[in-house]
Amino acid sequence: VENIVYLVGRADTLATSGWLLASIAQLRARRAWQEDTLSVAACSLLLVLQVLLAVLACLCKESGLTLLVFLAGLELVSTRPGSRRLANGALPLAAGALLLFLLLAVVRFSVTQGSGAAFGFVDTPVQYNDDP
C-alpha cells in the first residue's frame, strides 16, 4: 500500500512543480517585458518554457491543465506600470493560453475516453446501500 501512495504522491509533486515553475517563468517574462530588461527572444523562450512545463504538468496529473487557465488569468490582471490598462500583449497571451488549454483538454479526453471510474463496494459503500 505504501508504494501505491508513494507513486500517487510523486505525480502530485511533479504536477505541482511544473505548475509553480511555469508560474514563475510567466511572472518573470511579464516583469521583464514591462521593464524592458530582457530581449523579445529571451521573453519568448520563457513563454515556451512555461508552455512545456504546462504540458508536463498536464501529463503528470489532470489538475496540471488548470495551469493554463491560471496563466491566462495572470495575463488578464497584469497592468501597465502606473496605469489601469492591460499590459502590452496580455490579451493575445491570455487567448493563447486558453486555446492551448482547450487543445490539451480535447487531446486528454480523446485519449482517455473521459474519466469514468468503475468504483466498487469497497470504494463507495454508501452508493450500494439499499436503505432509503
Side-chain angles (χ1 to χ4, degrees):
V1 172
E2 290 178 12
N3 290 334
I4 294 170
V5 173
Y6 176 68
L7 286 174
V8 171
R10 280 185 24 188
D12 282 329
T13 303
L14 287 171
T16 303
S17 298
W19 217 94
L20 291 174
L21 290 172
S23 299
I24 291 169
Q26 195 275 342
L27 289 172
R28 291 199 181 225
R30 170 55 56 201
R31 183 179 303 145
W33 183 261
Q34 287 178 343
E35 296 173 356
D36 290 330
T37 56
L38 286 179
S39 67
V40 174
C43 287
S44 299
L45 284 175
L46 280 174
L47 294 175
V48 168
L49 174 67
Q50 114 189 8
V51 168
L52 290 175
L53 288 169
V55 170
L56 289 175
C58 174
L59 290 174
C60 292
K61 192 89 171 155
E62 292 84 4
S63 59
L65 273 175
T66 61
L67 171 64
L68 295 165
V69 176
F70 175 74
L71 295 176
L74 279 179
E75 284 297 326
L76 291 176
V77 298
S78 65
T79 58
R80 294 180 190 165
S83 173
R84 290 189 177 200
R85 294 185 177 193
L86 278 179
N88 292 337
L91 200 55
L93 287 174
L98 290 176
L99 285 174
L100 185 61
F101 165 76
L102 288 174
L103 175 71
L104 287 176
V106 166
V107 168
R108 185 226 179 254
F109 287 120
S110 68
V111 168
T112 62
Q113 302 297 318
S115 58
F119 292 116
F121 176 76
V122 177
D123 301 316
T124 56
V126 174
Q127 180 180 0
Y128 296 96
N129 191 358
D130 291 336
D131 294 336

